[in-house]
Amino acid sequence: MVEAAGFEGFEITWEADVFSGAPQSSSAAAFETVGINYRARKPA
Amino acid sequence: MVKPVTVPDLDLDTLRSEISKEYGEVANNPTKGFHFHTGRKLAKIVGYADDLLAHVPERSLESFAGTGNPFAMGRLHPGERVVDLGCGAGIDSIIASRLVGPEGRVIGIDMTPVMLQKARAAALEAGVTNVEFREGLAESPPVEDGWADVVIANGVVNLCPDKLGVFRAMNRMLKPGGRLQLADIMVHKQVPDEAKLNIDLWTG
């Protein structure tokens, strides 16, 4: 989808469980949800 | 051809209202306890270095609710222009304003007025003058075409049904060669269509 919007070089650079131990129970675990960092570039 | 990902039966106004209400709580009552971590604890979980947080006022940091670290995948350079889409209480905008220095500029965009109030107060407290905060939506941010060198966002795209529309808006704001440095969530298990209509899952 990022590339469909006109970007190139899409890359996920990090992922981690950022929800475990949150004060309220979360649906995050049910869908194996993780936090990610990602980057891309608009063509020059 | 890629079609926009939308959820046709979801009332967009209701969804935005509920999201704004939830994040209004994060602004006004950050220690209440949410489905996600908040504040300094979360900032450490997602890898913010101490030197990045050193100049961020507590009023901004306490309402941090991001999902990653937009500064971990590339440096911001002095003089650059940055858009922080879904800036919340301003933590990333304030960090960016220091990284780009007095010759650079930062525009933070958020749809939740109480978050913008906190962000403006925090920027004033931090003494940064190269950042401004504007009210707007991620799908239609009030920034001119080709203004930005970098667009950052932290846990925002997942809150928007029209994700392709958000990425197209990011593309519009960027100069040719401009960069996206984003953080968000990803699911490893498919979310059923009926679950996508559950607003509690969008907000939490």
Side-chain angles (χ1 to χ4, degrees):
Chain A
M1 187 181 300
V2 176
E3 290 171 346
F7 291 97
E8 61 186 17
F10 170 78
E11 179 185 14
I12 296 174
T13 61
W14 173 89
E15 76 171 71
D17 177 3
V18 298
F19 291 99
S20 288
Q24 291 188 33
S25 62
S26 169
S27 58
F31 299 111
E32 297 182 7
T33 310
V34 295
I36 59 171
N37 294 333
Y38 61 104
R39 63 186 170 193
R41 182 179 291 271
K42 181 173 178 173
Chain B
M1 178 178 178
V2 177
K3 295 179 180 176
V5 175
T6 57
V7 186
D9 294 329
L10 194 64
D11 184 281
L12 195 53
D13 290 338
T14 301
L15 176 63
R16 284 176 178 153
S17 174
E18 289 301 313
I19 290 171
S20 195
K21 187 190 305 179
E22 175 81 349
Y23 285 88
E25 277 292 290
V26 177
N28 287 325
N29 192 8
T31 59
K32 169 186 164 186
F34 298 91
H35 300 285
F36 41 83
H37 294 288
T38 55
R40 185 178 296 275
K41 178 180 180 181
L42 175 59
K44 300 304 290 184
I45 290 172
V46 297
Y48 280 73
D50 289 338
D51 63 321
L52 288 182
L53 300 177
H55 302 286
V56 178
E58 190 58 32
R59 73 171 81 209
S60 176
L61 186 51
E62 68 180 1
S63 293
F64 175 60
T67 58
N69 178 357
F71 306 104
M73 71 208 79
R75 297 182 63 84
L76 300 185
H77 304 289
E80 288 191 316
R81 293 178 172 183
V82 180
V83 172
D84 179 10
L85 200 58
C87 64
I91 171 175
D92 289 336
S93 293
I94 291 170
I95 290 171
S97 72
R98 295 221 175 242
L99 293 174
V100 301
E103 302 302 316
R105 286 189 61 201
V106 179
I107 298 175
I109 310 287
D110 207 276
M111 70 173 183
T112 302
V114 67
M115 278 293 194
L116 290 168
Q117 290 169 17
K118 287 197 83 168
R120 291 183 180 116
L124 196 62
E125 182 181 340
V128 291
T129 57
N130 59 344
V131 58
E132 65 175 293
F133 295 98
R134 301 176 181 175
E135 186 172 342
L137 300 172
E139 297 89 340
S140 54
V143 176
E144 67 189 83
D145 295 359
W147 183 86
D149 297 289
V150 185
V151 172
I152 61 175
N154 198 342
V156 171
V157 178
N158 74 89
L159 299 173
C160 304
D162 182 9
K163 293 168 181 31
L164 182 56
V166 175
F167 287 122
R168 284 177 170 153
M170 292 174 173
N171 189 305
R172 178 187 63 74
M173 293 187 289
L174 280 169
K175 301 174 183 175
R179 290 117 61 202
L180 290 185
Q181 297 185 192
L182 309 180
D184 219 290
I185 62 171
M186 180 172 70
V187 293
H188 285 293
K189 280 189 177 175
Q190 186 159 359
V191 180
D193 285 344
E194 60 269 25
K196 294 176 183 174
L197 300 178
N198 181 349
I199 287 181
D200 286 343
L201 291 181
W202 286 84
T203 59

